């Protein structure tokens, strides 16, 4: 089963930018399809692969900061090829 996950990662501390950069770089290295925009990062792939990567990387990211917030949306399908039709 393929999924699409949208992540918005918000460290709640002054040095937030490097935490976000490090998190995105780790996702890029995972071998899954990763798309970024200024507001969120999307990860696409099989459920088990995506969730295993996210489980590991979210835990590491949270351990490296004092406070943080992560919004996650999961869609049951691979939407990586979506293009607006308007």
């Amino acid at each position: 089963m393929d999924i699409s996950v949208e992540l918005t990662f918000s460290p709640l501390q002054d040095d937030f930018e490097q935490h976000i950069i490090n998190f995105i770089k780790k996702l890029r290295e995972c071998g899954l399809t990763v798309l970024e925009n200024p507001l969120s990062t999307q990860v696409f792939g099989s459920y088990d692969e995506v969730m295993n990567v996210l489980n590991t990387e979210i835990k590491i990211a949270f351990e490296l900061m004092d406070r943080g917030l992560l919004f996650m949306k999961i869609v049951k399908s691979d939407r990586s090829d979506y293009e607006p039709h308007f």
Side-chain angles (χ1 to χ4, degrees):
M1 167 179 46
D2 287 334
I3 62 172
S4 302
V5 179
E6 180 180 60
L7 304 163
T8 302
F9 181 48
S10 303
L12 301 174
Q13 54 194 57
D14 292 336
D15 63 339
F16 65 91
E17 190 172 335
Q18 194 58 50
H19 289 283
I20 294 170
I21 290 168
N22 293 341
F23 182 69
I24 292 171
K25 284 183 176 181
K26 294 290 284 188
L27 291 179
R28 288 177 182 165
E29 295 170 1
C30 72
L32 298 169
T33 301
V34 177
L35 301 176
E36 305 153 26
N37 66 55
L39 299 176
S40 66
T41 301
Q42 294 87 37
V43 183
F44 307 91
S46 76
Y47 180 90
D48 290 332
E49 288 181 278
V50 171
M51 296 308 284
N52 284 335
V53 167
L54 293 179
N55 185 49
T56 300
E57 297 307 329
I58 291 169
K59 183 176 182 180
I60 291 169
F62 277 175
E63 288 174 341
L64 294 173
M65 70 180 79
D66 295 326
R67 292 174 304 281
L69 178 64
L70 179 88
F71 288 101
M72 180 167 47
K73 298 177 191 174
I74 303 172
V75 177
K76 185 185 170 190
S77 68
D78 184 334
R79 305 289 293 162
S80 61
D81 60 353
Y82 171 78
E83 291 189 31
H85 301 290
F86 53 87

